[in-house]
Amino acid sequence: MVPEGKPEIETTVRATLRDVLGLSAERVDAFAPETPLFGALPELDSMAVAGLLTELEDRLGILIEDDDIDGETLETFGALTRFASAKALQ
């Protein structure tokens, strides 16, 4: 069962990736859950990570603590979406 709000969260994650990283809509719309992010997208460097997480906080109305983030959080599009969903739907 898909939790209420999950499609909207995925849409927000896609929009945030487009806006913060300057990626095309076509490119981000093609992201599947297994699409690698950190280490695979040159646009997603350590400075961009901070901006991405801050923007997700603002758009989803969540608080992301430093200890919430680990190597897997930004590994794939699916991992980032699951993380955002878990924070937003708690």
Side-chain angles (χ1 to χ4, degrees):
M1 185 162 116
V2 176
E4 181 82 16
K6 190 171 185 309
E8 292 81 9
I9 292 170
E10 181 176 323
T11 299
T12 300
V13 171
R14 287 183 191 278
T16 305
L17 285 166
R18 280 193 313 267
D19 295 346
V20 172
L21 302 181
L23 302 175
S24 70
E26 294 79 20
R27 185 174 176 193
V28 176
D29 289 347
F31 286 178
E34 64 276 1
T35 300
L37 297 180
F38 193 73
L41 295 177
E43 299 88 350
L44 187 58
D45 59 17
S46 57
M47 292 298 292
V49 166
L52 178 65
L53 296 175
T54 299
E55 191 64 24
L56 281 173
E57 283 182 320
D58 290 346
R59 292 181 183 201
L60 293 173
I62 60 175
L63 178 62
I64 300 173
E65 303 286 341
D66 288 340
D67 59 347
D68 290 338
I69 306 299
D70 61 25
E72 295 177 9
T73 306
L74 295 162
E75 187 174 0
T76 64
F77 176 72
L80 179 59
T81 302
R82 284 189 302 277
F83 169 78
S85 292
K87 293 298 282 182
L89 299 175
Q90 27 173 277

